[in-house]
Amino acid sequence: NYDKQLNHYDITMITTSASLYDPFITKSEAIFQALRVSKTRGININKIYKLIDRNTLYKKKIFFEVEIVNTSILNAALDNYFN
């Protein structure tokens, strides 16, 4: 259940990247925004969660300390999947 995993006090949600062009957000940030995306695009929330899961770079991969999602790829997947 994503509601239980979400940390509403994640500091990364209120700070910007150093370059301001970083396409990566944490998985918890993606989950936090999923409901808004679901309502805006008219897409079932569970489909969005599945896309987030498929497009997450997990921390077990080298160089990653947190689970991150590339928003450019995720948005392209949403555009291609539902249009």
Side-chain angles (χ1 to χ4, degrees):
N1 184 341
Y2 283 109
D3 293 331
K4 292 179 182 174
Q5 291 178 358
L6 189 59
N7 178 358
H8 294 281
Y9 303 104
D10 188 349
I11 190 68
T12 61
M13 290 187 196
I14 59 170
T15 58
T16 60
S17 68
S19 68
L20 300 177
Y21 295 109
D22 190 357
F24 293 99
I25 60 174
T26 64
K27 185 175 181 181
S28 63
E29 290 172 307
I31 293 167
F32 183 77
Q33 295 178 36
L35 184 59
R36 188 172 353 149
V37 172
S38 172
K39 288 179 180 179
T40 300
R41 290 185 179 242
I43 301 168
N44 181 289
I45 189 73
N46 291 317
K47 291 180 181 179
I48 293 177
Y49 288 151
K50 287 179 186 176
L51 280 174
I52 291 170
D53 285 340
R54 280 190 228 138
N55 291 285
T56 297
L57 298 173
Y58 290 94
K59 59 184 169 184
K60 64 183 174 186
K61 301 211 179 196
I62 193 164
F63 302 119
F64 296 115
E65 295 179 10
V66 296
E67 296 175 344
I68 59 174
V69 179
N70 184 314
T71 57
S72 299
I73 293 173
L74 184 59
N75 284 324
L78 284 165
D79 289 343
N80 289 333
Y81 189 79
F82 299 103
N83 288 329

